[in-house]
Amino acid sequence: MAFWYSSMNVPQRRTFWACLMGWALDAMDVQLFAFVIPTLIAVWGLTKSEAGMIGTAALVTSAIGGVLAGLLADRIGRVRVLQITIVWFALFTGLSALTNNFHQLLITRSLQGLGFGGEWAAGAVLIGEAVDKHIRGRAVGTVQSGWPIGYGMAALSYFVIFSLLPAEIAWRCLFLVGLLPALSVIWVRRNVQESEAFNATASVRAKTTMAGNFALIFSRPVIGKTITASLLAAGALGGNYTILTWLVTYLKESHSMSVGVVTYYLAINIFGSFCGYVGAAYLSDLLGRRKTFVLSALGATIAVLVYTFLPVTGASMLALGFLVGMFQSGIVSGMGACFSELFPAQIRASAGGFSYNFGRAFGSLIPAAVGITSAHYGLGHSIGAWAAGSYALVFIASIAMPETRNKELELHV
């Protein structure tokens, strides 16, 4: 990391850390729900289908939020939208602590999803525009390693709070931790500059509207890229959300693990995820975006099928958990840089936000599908089958899309 990081100037480094911090805090707030599912099943009598519906509802609204944030980021700036989304998802995560039944939690998590989806749309474009083309894959991919960092923060909070408090109280305290990310906005406001690419399109913005920009996503020069990017995101996020939503419940129910053991196994999976984000970021600049997507999807498919279909335990399960985390995150790692290179600055956040969040909307259906099919086929087999099917879409999209490594960023359509 030292060479490419040292090549950035001070404003670029501040942008890098702001985007990484935003992504980590976003992940922490999103993943808190996965840790409280087993408790709510016991305390509220929440069913797996209802848990899947809450997870899916948050992801559906996050898709809406991501599209809206992308359109706004092309109008009022990447930095301002980044600030708004962080405050939004922190507020509604905290309010989830005050809920008392399925319907109330469904509302707060759905509203939380609006901010969760918007953070990526603004942050991925901001860092993609801030850095040089030769290090874009590593910079953007490393920013996305903030996801396992945030996941780790959620896991640590879960371990500490549930070890000290009764489960009936602990789940509420865990959601209250989700208010803390709002404080980070103070630092972002003081230290992060708007991107030069956004400022360079000021004259175009004066002549266009948000509706006009949205229409350009489906114009003849752009629509092919929009379709392949959306398909890639659908496959990557469908598999990713399946694991993120159900892994804690799978370890507790299918393998009868305690809180401490679940946290240990998750730590290995999360470390694998971190390695996948950073490793794929390097591969993306070395081999290209397409080859990295293909290799990561192939590895993720094999790892998740073995993990969920074969009777693995102990060290083998730990190793496979590491590989599942590494490969599934490897796919997502390259998307920020790739989408920044596919689309011109005039519609970069709008088109990237739409494509990523179309994929998120599709991917949001998969956790609910797992919850439904688990009643007949078992939770483990349902996780494996749905995740592997999602990764097949990544292969199709990777074949169809152009290679964008080292591409100069365009300004206008």
Side-chain angles (χ1 to χ4, degrees):
M1 176 176 175
F3 168 74
W4 65 263
Y5 180 78
S6 63
S7 70
M8 293 192 292
N9 58 35
V10 172
Q12 288 173 329
R13 293 180 189 180
R14 288 175 177 170
T15 299
F16 171 84
W17 287 111
C19 293
L20 191 151
M21 177 174 60
W23 196 228
L25 296 173
D26 195 356
M28 183 187 76
D29 276 17
V30 169
Q31 286 308 116
L32 292 177
F33 175 64
F35 289 100
V36 306
I37 289 176
T39 299
L40 296 182
I41 288 175
V43 175
W44 285 358
L46 192 74
T47 67
K48 290 188 179 69
S49 294
E50 288 175 333
M53 286 175 62
I54 292 174
T56 292
L59 293 173
V60 169
T61 56
S62 74
I64 297 171
V67 173
L68 292 175
L71 291 167
L72 279 174
D74 280 336
R75 299 303 299 179
I76 66 174
R78 288 64 161 120
V79 176
R80 289 177 66 185
V81 173
L82 181 65
Q83 296 167 6
I84 293 169
T85 55
I86 291 174
V87 171
W88 185 281
F89 70 68
L91 173 63
F92 285 101
T93 300
L95 288 175
S96 296
L98 305 180
T99 59
N100 295 298
N101 55 51
F102 162 73
H103 293 98
Q104 291 176 2
L105 186 58
L106 179 65
I107 292 171
T108 58
R109 294 300 291 177
S110 297
L111 290 171
Q112 187 262 4
L114 291 173
F116 155 52
E119 194 280 336
W120 189 93
V125 171
L126 179 61
I127 184 61
E129 291 178 336
V131 298
D132 182 81
K133 64 180 181 180
H134 298 296
I135 65 168
R136 189 176 296 123
R138 281 163 285 180
V140 180
T142 304
V143 159
Q144 302 217 62
S145 71
W147 184 275
I149 294 172
Y151 194 176
M153 293 163 61
L156 180 60
S157 299
Y158 164 73
F159 174 73
V160 172
I161 293 174
F162 273 73
S163 296
L164 296 175
L165 298 172
E168 295 81 2
I169 300 173
W171 72 268
R172 295 186 187 275
C173 295
L174 193 62
F175 275 138
L176 287 175
V177 171
L179 286 168
L180 297 177
L183 299 176
S184 68
V185 171
I186 299 172
W187 185 87
V188 173
R189 285 180 61 87
R190 293 178 177 176
N191 293 282
V192 181
Q193 301 175 0
E194 189 53 76
S195 75
E196 294 181 5
F198 173 78
N199 292 332
T201 58
S203 59
V204 176
R205 284 196 302 277
K207 303 174 184 177
T208 58
T209 62
M210 286 178 59
N213 267 9
F214 186 73
L216 286 174
I217 298 172
F218 309 102
S219 64
R220 186 178 297 274
V222 180
I223 190 169
K225 299 175 183 179
T226 303
I227 292 172
T228 53
S230 298
L231 189 63
L232 178 74
L237 298 178
N240 213 1
Y241 291 154
T242 297
I243 305 300
L244 293 172
T245 300
W246 288 110
L247 184 57
V248 174
T249 305
Y250 173 66
L251 293 175
K252 286 181 71 71
E253 293 193 355
S254 300
H255 294 272
S256 302
M257 294 183 181
S258 65
V259 169
V261 176
V262 166
T263 304
Y264 176 61
Y265 272 74
L266 281 178
I268 301 299
N269 174 259
I270 292 168
F271 179 63
S273 182
F274 177 82
C275 293
Y277 276 112
V278 176
Y282 276 81
L283 281 179
S284 184
D285 278 340
L286 179 66
L287 301 179
R289 316 307 188 213
R290 296 174 64 195
K291 290 181 180 178
T292 303
F293 288 139
V294 168
L295 290 173
S296 298
L298 178 62
T301 301
I302 295 172
V304 76
L305 288 176
V306 174
Y307 190 77
T308 56
F309 274 79
L310 297 184
V312 292
T313 57
S316 298
M317 192 172 183
L318 285 172
L320 280 167
F322 175 88
L323 293 175
V324 168
M326 182 178 73
F327 286 121
Q328 73 177 42
S329 297
I331 304 171
V332 181
S333 175
M335 288 200 296
C338 180
F339 289 8
S340 292
E341 293 158 344
L342 279 175
F343 303 109
Q346 179 187 351
I347 59 167
R348 183 164 295 131
S350 302
F354 173 85
S355 299
Y356 187 88
N357 288 287
F358 175 90
R360 177 176 276 158
F362 173 88
S364 70
L365 302 176
I366 308 303
V370 170
I372 294 169
T373 59
S374 66
H376 298 285
Y377 301 104
L379 184 58
H381 288 180
S382 294
I383 291 172
W386 282 105
S390 297
Y391 294 134
L393 298 179
V394 177
F395 289 103
I396 297 172
S398 299
I399 293 170
M401 72 169 29
E403 177 57 62
T404 60
R405 178 180 56 161
N406 293 336
K407 181 182 177 182
E408 293 287 354
L409 298 183
E410 302 171 7
L411 291 180
H412 310 302
V413 177

